């Protein structure tokens, strides 16, 4: 917009610059938030543990939150992150075995007893023993290697145990009595619908043939000068045409 008055033009230009600056800040904040959201969803080691089918369901059903979810990125980040974590923490740093006395002495009546001082990760008494830590660490290292290779090959996988549970649960649900009954209901409904369509088509064809026949009779009546018969046939035609519209 151009103004004849230089002062008005200057004020308007300053307003445009200020608005452009505000829009730029809003856009920057929006892009930073989207980047942070994308980072939190795709590059943390936990969402990628979920079965790929579950991750896709999250994206389909909760698009506002998980619209940027990429199963290849999530599973790879999970495999690499958990694999390195299991190696560094589980094997090198003695895992979650805290290395100091977790128990404290207490007196119960006339006898001494022990009870835990702290609650350690993951909110159980006493932490993990070295044997358990090693077993879990080797499991994550092995499964992470398999999952990373599968992700790089374009076949993303969540945690192998969860994927197995999801697979066998899906198989079992398809073979369940409930699913069989549902399939039978669907097949029955489809048959009824097809029968209804066939019946409707037969009715429509009969109605079309009748309309053609009456139209011919009306034409002959008009040709013969029988106006009364032509009017009666026209009434029947109107009724048949209305019935056609409902089929």
């Amino acid at each position: 917009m151009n103004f004849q008055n230089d002062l008005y033009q200057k004020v308007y230009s300053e307003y445009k610059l200020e608005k452009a600056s505000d829009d730029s800040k809003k856009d920057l904040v929006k892009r930073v938030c989207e980047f942070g959201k994308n980072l939190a969803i795709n590059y943390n080691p936990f969402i990628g543990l979920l079965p790929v089918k579950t991750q896709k369901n999250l994206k389909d059903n909760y698009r506002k939150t998980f619209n940027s979810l990429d199963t290849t990125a999530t599973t790879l980040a999970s495999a690499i992150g958990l694999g390195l974590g299991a190696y560094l923490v589980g094997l090198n740093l003695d895992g979650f075995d805290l290395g100091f006395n977790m128990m404290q002495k207490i007196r119960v009546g006339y006898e001494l007893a022990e009870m835990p001082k702290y609650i350690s990760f993951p909110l159980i008494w006493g932490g993990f023993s070295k044997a358990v830590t090693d077993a879990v660490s080797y499991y994550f290292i092995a499964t992470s290697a398999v999952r990373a290779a599968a992700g790089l090959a374009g076949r993303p996988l969540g945690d192998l145990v969860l994927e197995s549970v999801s697979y066998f649960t899906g198989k079992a649900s398809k073979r369940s009595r409930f699913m069989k009954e549902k399939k039978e209901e669907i097949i029955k409904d489809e048959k009824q619908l097809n029968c209804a369509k066939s019946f409707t088509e037969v009715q429509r064809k009969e109605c079309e043939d009748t309309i053609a026949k009456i139209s011919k009779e009306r034409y002959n009546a008009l040709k013969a000068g029988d106006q009364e018969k032509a009017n009666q046939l026209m009434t029947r035609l109107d009724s048949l045409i209305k019935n056609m519209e409902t089929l």
Side-chain angles (χ1 to χ4, degrees):
M1 184 181 293
N2 295 319
F3 294 92
Q4 295 294 330
N5 189 301
D6 292 340
L7 179 59
Y8 290 166
Q9 187 66 46
K10 183 179 179 180
V11 170
Y12 180 67
S13 298
E14 289 176 353
Y15 162 76
K16 285 179 64 178
L17 286 172
E18 186 176 350
K19 190 174 185 306
S21 177
D22 289 342
D23 291 341
S24 178
K25 289 177 183 177
K26 289 178 183 177
D27 181 65
L28 179 61
V29 170
K30 183 179 178 181
R31 285 189 284 115
V32 168
C33 290
E34 285 294 328
F35 176 77
K37 178 182 170 185
N38 181 59
L39 201 67
I41 290 174
N42 289 319
Y43 298 99
N44 74 78
F46 302 110
I47 289 181
L49 280 173
L50 298 173
V52 171
K53 184 179 179 181
T54 302
Q55 294 184 48
K56 289 180 178 178
N57 287 338
L58 284 175
K59 184 172 183 177
D60 292 338
N61 298 328
Y62 304 97
R63 295 197 66 84
K64 188 174 181 180
T65 303
F66 294 99
N67 64 313
S68 62
L69 191 149
D70 181 351
T71 54
T72 301
T74 56
T75 51
L76 271 175
S78 174
I80 295 170
L82 289 175
L84 289 175
Y87 177 75
L88 295 173
V89 177
L91 299 183
N92 290 350
L93 301 179
D94 202 20
F96 300 107
D97 189 356
L98 300 181
F100 57 86
N101 188 8
M102 297 289 295
M103 311 302 286
Q104 63 180 339
K105 301 285 185 182
I106 61 169
R107 183 174 294 278
V108 179
Y110 295 101
E111 297 182 1
L112 288 177
E114 290 186 336
M115 68 173 290
K117 291 181 182 178
Y118 310 99
I119 298 177
S120 66
F121 181 88
L123 304 182
I124 61 173
W125 294 110
F128 295 114
S129 69
K130 186 67 169 69
V132 172
T133 299
D134 285 348
V136 173
S137 298
Y138 284 124
Y139 167 78
F140 275 117
I141 290 170
T143 57
S144 293
V146 173
R147 294 172 59 217
L152 292 172
R155 299 294 299 272
L157 286 172
D159 178 72
L160 299 186
V161 172
L162 295 178
E163 288 283 7
S164 300
V165 170
S166 176
Y167 175 78
F168 287 113
T169 302
K171 285 286 186 183
S173 66
K174 288 180 181 178
R175 296 175 182 175
S176 67
R177 182 179 177 181
F178 176 79
M179 284 300 294
K180 288 179 181 178
E181 290 176 353
K182 281 294 179 184
K183 286 181 180 179
E184 290 174 359
E185 287 180 9
I186 291 170
I187 292 171
K188 185 178 178 181
D189 290 343
E190 287 178 348
K191 285 182 178 178
Q192 289 178 346
L193 182 61
N194 290 332
C195 288
K197 285 182 177 178
S198 299
F199 181 71
T200 301
E201 288 300 321
V202 170
Q203 282 187 315
R204 181 181 289 274
K205 184 67 171 60
E206 291 177 352
C207 196
E208 287 175 351
D209 292 341
T210 305
I211 288 172
K213 181 180 178 182
I214 293 175
S215 296
K216 186 176 180 181
E217 289 179 6
R218 182 174 181 276
Y219 172 77
N220 291 332
L222 288 172
K223 191 176 180 181
D226 191 346
Q227 188 64 43
E228 184 178 353
K229 184 178 180 180
N231 291 339
Q232 291 175 351
L233 291 171
M234 188 62 197
T235 302
R236 289 183 61 190
L237 278 175
D238 289 339
S239 177
L240 286 170
I241 291 171
K242 287 179 180 179
N243 287 336
M244 278 281 292
E245 292 175 353
T246 62
L247 296 176

